[in-house]
């Protein structure tokens, strides 16, 4: 059985998809970009963008009854791999000792030409 998860504290989807889908004990969180809950893009460097993306993921997890500690897998999409170190600094603040498996890839382009998008899978 699957359940759609939605948080008012994260941006609404900009296309035909859900913020997250819960299937059994797994929560699949759609790629989040650096937009606030009203859909306004966050201006600033990759650290500011990463912080907003992780706040969105955190809000969606909370709507599903979880937290960042429940995240088991993350995929980070970066417009420029030179931003990896700065992204990693902020990422470490959020995940601390709860380190999910992760992949990070550089891509040619992201929605709305942002610098980062992150998707996550959590086990609740």
């Amino acid at each position: 059985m699957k359940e759609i998860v939605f948080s008012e504290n994260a941006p609404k989807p900009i296309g035909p998809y859900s913020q997250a889908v819960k299937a059994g004990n797994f929560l699949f969180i759609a790629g989040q970009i650096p937009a606030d809950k009203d859909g306004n893009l966050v201006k600033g460097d990759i650290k500011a963008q990463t912080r907003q993306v992780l706040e969105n993921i955190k809000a969606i997890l909370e709507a599903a009854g979880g937290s960042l500690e429940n995240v088991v897998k993350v995929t980070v999409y970066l417009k420029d791999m030179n931003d990896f170190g700065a992204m990693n600094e902020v990422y470490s603040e959020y995940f601390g000792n709860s380190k999910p498996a992760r992949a990070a890839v550089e891509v040619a382009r992201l929605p709305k030409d942002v610098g980062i998008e992150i998707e996550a899978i959590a086990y609740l």
Side-chain angles (χ1 to χ4, degrees), residues 49-93:
Q49 291 184 45
T50 302
R51 191 165 281 108
Q52 182 62 56
V53 168
L54 292 172
E55 285 296 325
N56 293 343
I57 289 172
K58 186 175 162 186
I60 294 166
L61 282 160
E62 289 171 357
S67 72
L68 289 170
E69 290 185 2
N70 295 104
V71 176
V72 295
K73 173 68 169 76
V74 172
T75 305
V76 178
Y77 302 96
L78 290 165
K79 189 174 181 178
D80 184 350
M81 194 56 82
N82 290 317
D83 289 332
F84 182 83
M87 174 279 298
N88 218 30
E89 284 180 42
V90 175
Y91 182 94
S92 294
E93 292 172 20

Side-chain angles (χ1 to χ4, degrees), residues 26-63:
F26 284 98
L27 181 68
F28 298 89
I29 301 172
Q32 297 297 303
I33 63 172
D36 65 18
K37 66 181 183 176
D38 297 319
N40 301 309
L41 292 180
V42 169
K43 306 291 185 212
D45 63 8
I46 198 67
K47 286 184 177 183
Q49 291 184 45
T50 302
R51 191 165 281 108
Q52 182 62 56
V53 168
L54 292 172
E55 285 296 325
N56 293 343
I57 289 172
K58 186 175 162 186
I60 294 166
L61 282 160
E62 289 171 357

